[in-house]
C-alpha cells in the first residue's frame, strides 16, 4: 500500500469492513450493531425531558400517572407473556411482553431491561420457528 519512501498511501478500501464468512458471525455483528443503536437511542431519550402527550388525561396542567404507565397492568401482561412462553405460544407471548413494556414505568429500569431481553429472545425464537 505504501511506496518505497515509507509513506503509507490512502486508499478507498482502507475503511471497508470485512464481512464474516459464517452466518452466525454476521448475525452476531448485526445484533451488536442493533443493540448499540438501541442503547444510544434509549440513553438519548432518558437524558431528554419527556414531552407531555396531548390527551384528555391532563387535569389542570398536571398529567395523571395512570395515563401513561400502569405497573399493575404491566405486571399482569408480563405474567401472561411468561405463561404463553411456557406453553410455546410465541406470538401471544411477544404481544403480551410488548404490552408489558409499553405499560411499565420507565423508572423501573431493571424491569424494562428484563422485558426488552425477553422480547428480543422471543423475537429470535419466532424467526427460527417454522412458519
Amino acid at each position: 500500500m505504501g511506496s518505497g519512501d515509507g509513506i503509507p498511501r490512502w486508499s478507498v478500501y482502507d475503511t471497508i469492513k470485512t464481512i464474516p464468512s459464517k452466518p452466525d458471525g454476521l448475525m452476531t455483528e448485526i445484533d451488536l450493531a442493533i443493540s448499540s443503536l438501541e442503547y444510544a437511542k434509549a440513553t438519548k431519550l432518558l437524558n431528554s425531558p419527556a414531552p407531555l402527550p396531548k390527551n384528555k388525561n391532563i387535569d389542570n396542567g398536571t398529567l395523571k400517572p395512570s395515563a401513561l404507565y400502569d405497573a399493575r397492568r404491566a405486571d399482569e401482561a408480563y405474567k401472561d407473556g411468561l405463561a404463553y412462553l411456557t406453553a410455546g405460544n410465541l406470538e401471544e407471548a411477544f404481544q403480551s411482553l410488548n404490552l408489558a413494556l409499553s405499560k411499565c414505568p420507565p423508572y423501573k429500569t431493571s424491569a424494562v431491561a428484563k422485558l426488552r431481553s425477553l422480547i428480543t429472545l422471543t423475537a429470535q425464537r419466532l424467526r427460527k420457528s417454522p412458519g
Side-chain angles (χ1 to χ4, degrees):
M1 286 275 228
S3 64
D5 57 6
I7 300 172
R9 301 286 182 212
W10 177 84
S11 170
V12 293
Y13 300 107
D14 286 347
T15 58
I16 293 179
K17 185 174 173 120
T18 58
I19 297 174
S21 60
K22 296 188 179 194
D24 291 339
L26 180 60
M27 288 307 296
T28 300
E29 284 198 22
I30 291 170
D31 287 340
L32 286 172
I34 291 171
S35 297
S36 296
L37 179 65
E38 291 210 4
Y39 179 78
K41 286 182 180 179
T43 303
K44 183 179 178 182
L45 285 173
L46 287 174
N47 291 332
S48 67
L52 290 176
K54 297 177 182 177
N55 60 20
K56 296 179 183 177
N57 292 316
I58 298 176
D59 190 25
N60 297 330
T62 60
L63 182 65
K64 295 179 184 176
S66 63
L68 296 175
Y69 308 109
D70 184 356
R72 184 187 55 77
R73 181 64 185 115
D75 189 50
E76 289 172 3
Y78 168 73
K79 289 176 183 175
D80 290 345
L82 290 181
Y84 286 129
L85 275 175
T86 303
N89 298 330
L90 298 177
E91 281 289 333
E92 291 86 357
F94 187 74
Q95 291 175 359
S96 291
L97 292 171
N98 275 307
L99 175 63
L101 182 61
S102 71
K103 293 295 182 184
C104 187
Y107 60 85
K108 298 205 176 260
T109 54
S110 63
V112 170
K114 183 188 289 187
L115 285 167
R116 286 186 190 272
S117 177
L118 280 171
I119 289 168
T120 302
L121 292 172
T122 305
Q124 288 173 354
R125 287 180 61 190
L126 272 170
R127 284 192 300 267
K128 290 179 183 177
S129 69

